[in-house]
Amino acid sequence: MNQNFEYTEFLKGELSLPGDKSISHRAVMFASMAEGESVIKNCSNAEDVKSTISCFKKLGVDIIEENNLLKIYGKGYKGFTKPLDELYAGNSGTTARLLSGILCAQDFDSRITGDESLSKRPMNRIVEPLRLMGANIFASEKGTLPLVINPSEKLHSIKYEFKVASAQVKSAMILAALHIDDESVFLETIPTRNHTEKLLNLKTEKTNNGTLIYASRKNYPVNFEITVPSDISTASFFIVLGLLTKNSNILIKNVSLNETRTGIIDILESMGAKIIIEDKVVQNGEERGNIRVFSSQLENIEIPDEIIPNIIDEIPILSIAGIFAKGKFRIKNAKELRVKESDRIKAICNNLKIVGLNVTEYEDGFEIDGSISSNNEPIFDSYGDHRIAMAFAVLSMLLEKGGIIKDFECVSVSNPNFLNQLKILGYNSSI
Ligand code: S3P
């Protein structure tokens, strides 16, 4: 479905966004592993999280949606039942990779599949380290889905330094480690999102080389109640739109402010963004607060290499901010973007060329220079990638001629209600 977006000059009001996708995936998984009833409030309504829910239902877990909350009746240690057919992870890398860590420790065979995009994404990054822990897990010849997982009697603890800066790899290994009595110790040299560690309350230790993370069966989840904060990655599309729209004053409520996710705010503030964080609190071990955004003049800055994993999902929308900021916008050291839901470096570069910008593509990033010159309403390709679709929807609303996004329905992978949320802020098109 093509979606049209018109130029907008005003944006005002308060927004409550769905729960953080990363935290919601983990909450569903940990509640399914724990024994008895857990309650999840403000769980994400993203298609990706629905994929996680459907996989755990197939593993025998009762999951009920009731009055805006999710009740999960977990099966307890090794209580899952053999699924009747394959576990379909849809578009969700987090589902496929984290689930693998759990399934490696079960006493039955399983198989994980996914959609066309997920079936192209690299899985050896989890297969190889899980095999080092004694797991019987196999990817396709190309190192992709389907993943086949057989029981192993040799699953053992490990001392391991992560080779890729990836919270999904880190979490898959931690989840396998929760099924082993002896303690595993992981060294993370480049910080990535730490929701798994926080929700499981794992012991971590900062050293000169990075952070040590300890996990063993004694950290196996017990049932809990959680209110998931809203998703900062989803919020970032509205933050950038608010900053760049001529007259805006918006408040986004109860957003996750976990320090491994707030790089986008730090960078935008360094670029001159007027953002105020209000009412910051910690709940369920995760920081959260309200974000107020005003129209701002931005200036590009040098983006430090080490912050890339923190902003990895926000680079598409950050690049839109970069176009309207003074000076050149440049991203390097981000080759992980090539293996996301689409090749995001290619997707961003190709779309920006449509509006006449000078774009230089690197293997691990890109540079944008020049100014927008487009006489017609541009048609941007979403590449079936939710974050590309929303980033270019934001760009379209900042262009006098507006813009069209192809295959816009893919936004439901993270935020099915994007269009309604725009309306709440007074976006006045016929959407
Ligand atoms: C996620 C981790 C990140 C991120 C993804 C969600 C998670 O991926 O891009 O959208 O929930 O752990 P990597 O850990 O592979 O970088």
Side-chain angles (χ1 to χ4, degrees):
M1 173 199 80
N2 283 355
Q3 181 67 50
N4 211 81
F5 289 91
E6 290 169 7
Y7 178 67
T8 182
E9 277 199 345
F10 297 93
L11 220 52
K12 279 201 173 36
E14 286 186 15
L15 207 53
S16 291
L17 294 172
D20 183 80
K21 187 155 78 73
S22 290
I23 298 177
S24 298
H25 278 298
R26 288 161 173 80
V28 170
M29 291 181 184
F30 302 166
S32 299
M33 293 163 74
E35 185 157 355
E37 184 185 283
S38 291
V39 176
I40 306 175
K41 295 180 187 157
N42 198 38
C43 187
S44 162
N45 61 348
E47 283 302 322
D48 270 6
V49 175
K50 288 190 180 145
S51 296
T52 291
I53 292 174
S54 106
C55 287
F56 281 90
K57 282 185 173 170
K58 283 190 179 175
L59 289 164
V61 181
D62 284 330
I63 303 182
I64 297 165
E65 217 187 312
E66 206 179 86
N67 304 329
N68 261 344
L69 40 89
L70 215 55
K71 286 191 173 167
I72 299 191
Y73 298 89
K75 299 309 262 184
Y77 188 72
K78 293 212 178 178
F80 294 129
T81 44
K82 181 177 159 62
L84 294 176
D85 54 6
E86 63 190 30
L87 297 163
Y88 180 68
N91 192 248
S92 173
T94 307
T95 308
R97 297 194 177 111
L98 271 60
L99 184 57
S100 302
I102 299 170
L103 292 176
C104 281
Q106 308 302 319
D107 298 329
F108 49 78
D109 300 326
S110 50
R111 188 179 139 93
I112 303 177
T113 59
D115 72 4
E116 204 186 320
S117 148
L118 186 58
S119 299
K120 289 188 196 134
R121 295 177 64 187
M123 291 296 153
N124 277 340
R125 54 178 56 200
I126 54 155
V127 168
E128 284 161 8
L130 286 170
R131 288 180 70 84
L132 292 178
M133 295 178 79
N136 278 330
I137 175 168
F138 309 90
S140 76
E141 245 172 57
K142 288 186 186 155
T144 55
L145 297 182
L147 290 170
V148 172
I149 303 166
N150 305 127
S152 164
E153 279 172 10
K154 297 177 301 194
L155 205 63
H156 56 78
S157 63
I158 194 168
K159 285 192 172 26
Y160 185 77
E161 178 180 334
F162 296 114
K163 309 289 180 279
V164 209
S166 159
Q168 295 179 353
V169 173
K170 171 174 67 174
S171 302
M173 294 190 78
I174 290 173
L175 292 178
L178 296 181
H179 297 83
I180 303 161
D181 288 337
D182 292 336
E183 191 164 66
S184 293
V185 187
F186 302 102
L187 173 63
E188 184 176 56
T189 52
I190 304 167
T192 65
R193 63 192 68 192
N194 60 5
H195 305 299
T196 299
E197 298 91 302
K198 286 204 165 180
L199 290 174
L200 293 170
N201 206 7
L202 299 184
K203 182 177 143 199
T204 59
E205 205 175 293
K206 290 225 173 357
T207 69
N208 290 338
N209 302 329
T211 303
L212 292 171
I213 304 159
Y214 299 85
S216 72
R217 182 160 171 200
K218 72 176 193 315
N219 306 111
Y220 194 86
V222 285
N223 60 335
F224 57 91
E225 197 174 311
I226 187 173
T227 303
V228 180
S230 295
D231 196 317
I232 189 164
S233 301
T234 298
S236 66
F237 297 98
F238 296 97
I239 295 173
V240 170
L241 182 62
L243 292 172
L244 299 177
T245 301
K246 277 204 180 124
N247 294 293
S248 60
N249 176 354
I250 61 175
L251 183 73
I252 312 173
K253 292 169 88 176
N254 191 37
V255 182
S256 166
L257 296 172
N258 176 305
E259 74 279 7
T260 59
R261 300 284 299 282
T262 44
I264 182 68
I265 309 262
D266 300 339
I267 290 181
L268 288 170
E269 281 181 333
S270 307
M271 290 170 74
K274 282 186 237 156
I275 295 176
I276 300 173
I277 308 285
E278 299 169 353
D279 304 322
K280 203 165 160 176
V281 291
V282 180
Q283 202 187 338
N284 302 112
E286 290 276 357
E287 294 202 301
R288 53 196 77 197
N290 299 335
I291 302 179
R292 198 174 278 286
V293 182
F294 303 95
S295 318
S296 306
Q297 294 289 333
L298 304 181
E299 195 167 332
N300 279 309
I301 56 159
E302 198 172 312
I303 297 172
D305 283 357
E306 61 282 3
I307 205 167
I308 295 294
N310 190 311
I311 59 164
I312 195 73
D313 291 343
E314 287 70 67
I315 291 173
I317 187 60
L318 185 59
S319 70
I320 303 300
I323 303 171
F324 292 89
K326 228 169 100 191
K328 282 185 191 171
F329 177 81
R330 187 168 189 260
I331 283 282
K332 287 286 282 172
N333 197 38
K335 68 172 191 300
E336 278 293 302
L337 290 175
R338 297 231 178 246
V339 290
K340 292 293 177 189
E341 288 83 329
S342 68
D343 174 344
R344 286 185 176 157
I345 294 180
K346 235 194 181 60
I348 293 169
C349 291
N350 287 352
N351 275 335
L352 292 181
K353 283 179 195 159
I354 293 174
V355 285
L357 287 158
N358 299 327
V359 184
T360 314
E361 183 176 331
Y362 305 111
E363 190 44 39
D364 66 344
F366 53 94
E367 192 171 296
I368 314 167
D369 199 8
S371 51
I372 291 176
S373 57
S374 165
N375 296 323
N376 305 315
E377 187 180 28
I379 304 177
F380 298 113
D381 199 332
S382 68
Y383 295 86
D385 180 334
H386 56 129
R387 298 202 199 278
I388 298 296
M390 288 185 281
F392 284 88
V394 169
L395 174 58
S396 299
M397 286 182 273
L398 298 166
L399 299 178
E400 253 172 59
K401 308 253 167 185
I404 295 170
I405 315 294
K406 284 202 237 167
D407 301 324
F408 191 72
E409 63 281 359
C410 63
V411 295
S412 61
V413 159
S414 62
N415 186 13
N417 301 120
F418 182 73
L419 297 178
N420 283 339
Q421 292 150 4
L422 280 176
K423 278 188 187 165
I424 292 172
L425 296 180
Y427 174 66
N428 57 0
S429 144
S430 52
I431 54 170

